Amino acid sequence: MWKPLSIVSGLLLLGAGGIMYTQIRPDYLSEMDQRKAARTNKTSADLNKTASNTAHTNSEKDLGDSKVLLAQNTGLKNKAQAAKDEKQAEVTKTTGEKDAAAKELADLEQKLKDLGGLPRLVAELKVLEAKQAQLTLEVANTKGAIESTISHKAATDKVISGLKQLELWQKTGTVAAGFRTRVSAVNPELGFVVLPAGNDKKVTQKSKFDIVRGTTLVGKVIVTTLEQNQSICEIIPGSVAAGDRILPGDVAVVNESSTPKSLTVSIPSGAPGAPAAKKPAADPAGAPAADPFAAPPAPDAAAPAAPMEEKTPETPAADAATPAPGN
């Protein structure tokens, strides 16, 4: 009798174990998946932190190099100015010598008329004419040297202005008006996107972009990590509508608050894209100023063309340098 009872008890235990396994298996598998995802996210975050530190170091080095180059070109400018002043003094001196020679020639011609002695006076006259021709040639050569110095100074001033503009844009998170590119990657869990443009396209740290799809504003991002060929941007909290999300291939257009015309600091005259300095609007009530990052920028027809991807929002598909949606 005890053997059938033992068999029945064993079968009941096996059935109970099977039921318990089917109940806890989904939770167990879910927990394993969550642990795997957590390890993956931690690895990705560590890689992003390392890339961020590397990009920050590179940006600091580039800024230091720009300052050194600015100092060198300032020295060249001062040198060119000194050379110009020296040549101008030589022109003044040579012109005075020419005038003195012309007066001497006139005096000799008068002596020829008054005293005679034609052969001697003619010889002296020829000597003075030759001296005048030589001085005239020296004046022409000196003027040519001055023109060359002025041209070199203008080229140096242009280089210095461009370096000052680059330094200012790097400090203020400014990008050329009309610049656009496409989103190459999105990480919605960590809240960042990747743009395929970095130092090589003159994107700057803390510059802001509107993400548009067609004519619809999808969201807003700000550059937090700058690399040579790409930028990692944080998605501005609350800028993406509920139920929507930023996708690879969406167009990133520089926000108006990150364009040169938004600067309140003067850029040296002669620098490409230099706007006139303007004062911030007064706020008598003490309330915070309106966010200039609240709307997508309109195309700036007055802004100069920059050597980047600058196209109007109506023709995003013409941007061959960025991947199409879904790629």
Side-chain angles (χ1 to χ4, degrees):
M1 183 67 181
W2 61 271
K3 289 184 178 180
L5 291 176
S6 298
I7 294 172
V8 171
S9 298
L11 293 175
L12 290 175
L13 288 173
L14 287 175
I19 293 172
M20 182 176 295
Y21 175 76
T22 57
Q23 289 178 347
I24 66 172
R25 183 173 181 273
D27 293 338
Y28 173 77
L29 293 178
S30 175
E31 182 179 357
M32 294 299 293
D33 290 338
Q34 290 176 1
R35 289 183 179 180
K36 181 178 179 181
R39 287 194 295 270
T40 301
N41 289 338
K42 182 178 181 301
T43 301
S44 177
D46 291 341
L47 291 175
N48 289 334
K49 180 179 178 181
T50 301
S52 176
N53 292 336
T54 301
H56 177 72
T57 301
N58 292 338
S59 297
E60 291 294 331
K61 181 179 180 300
D62 291 341
L63 182 59
D65 293 343
S66 297
K67 288 182 178 179
V68 171
L69 187 56
L70 175 62
Q72 292 176 348
N73 282 280
T74 301
L76 291 175
K77 175 185 176 183
N78 295 336
K79 222 170 166 185
Q81 183 64 44
K84 174 187 174 183
D85 295 340
E86 182 180 352
K87 294 297 182 181
Q88 188 64 51
E90 290 180 8
V91 169
T92 301
K93 180 181 177 182
T94 305
T95 302
E97 291 176 354
K98 175 185 175 183
D99 294 339
K103 184 177 182 300
E104 187 178 357
L105 179 60
D107 292 341
L108 288 175
E109 288 177 346
Q110 185 61 41
K111 288 179 182 180
L112 179 61
K113 292 178 181 178
D114 296 341
L115 302 176
L118 184 59
R120 179 178 61 84
L121 294 176
V122 168
E124 292 179 359
L125 180 62
K126 288 182 178 180
V127 171
L128 291 174
E129 287 176 345
K131 184 177 180 180
Q132 183 184 27
Q134 179 64 28
L135 291 174
T136 301
L137 179 61
E138 290 179 3
V139 169
N141 291 339
T142 303
K143 287 182 176 179
I146 289 176
E147 292 175 356
S148 176
T149 301
I150 292 174
S151 175
H152 178 70
K153 178 179 179 296
T156 302
D157 288 344
K158 185 176 180 181
V159 171
I160 291 174
S161 296
L163 291 173
K164 286 182 178 179
Q165 183 210 51
L166 178 60
E167 181 181 9
L168 176 62
W169 284 17
Q170 288 174 341
K171 289 180 178 179
T172 56
T174 302
V175 179
F179 174 80
R180 62 173 48 224
T181 183
R182 290 181 184 271
V183 176
S184 59
V186 182
N187 189 321
E189 291 79 15
L190 296 181
F192 70 83
V193 303
V194 179
L195 304 181
N199 286 320
D200 59 335
K201 299 293 180 65
K202 294 185 174 60
V203 176
T204 58
Q205 191 82 357
K206 297 182 181 179
S207 54
K208 301 173 183 177
F209 289 83
D210 295 323
I211 308 301
V212 297
R213 188 180 303 136
T215 58
T216 303
L217 176 64
V218 180
K220 302 173 185 292
V221 299
I222 182 171
V223 176
T224 56
T225 301
L226 188 63
E227 301 178 5
Q228 179 62 20
N229 299 314
Q230 68 177 7
S231 303
I232 299 176
C233 309
E234 178 184 351
I235 300 173
I236 303 299
S239 66
V240 180
D244 200 356
R245 61 174 180 167
I246 298 175
L247 299 174
D250 287 343
V251 178
V253 183
V254 62
N255 186 270
E256 187 175 5
S257 64
S258 292
T259 59
K261 70 178 182 179
S262 69
L263 294 177
T264 57
V265 181
S266 297
I267 299 177
S269 59
K278 55 184 179 181
K279 299 180 180 179
D283 187 5
D291 182 10
F293 194 44
D300 186 2
M308 302 177 185
E309 305 173 38
E310 299 182 12
K311 299 177 176 61
T312 59
E314 288 77 15
T315 58
D319 187 1
T322 54
N327 288 347

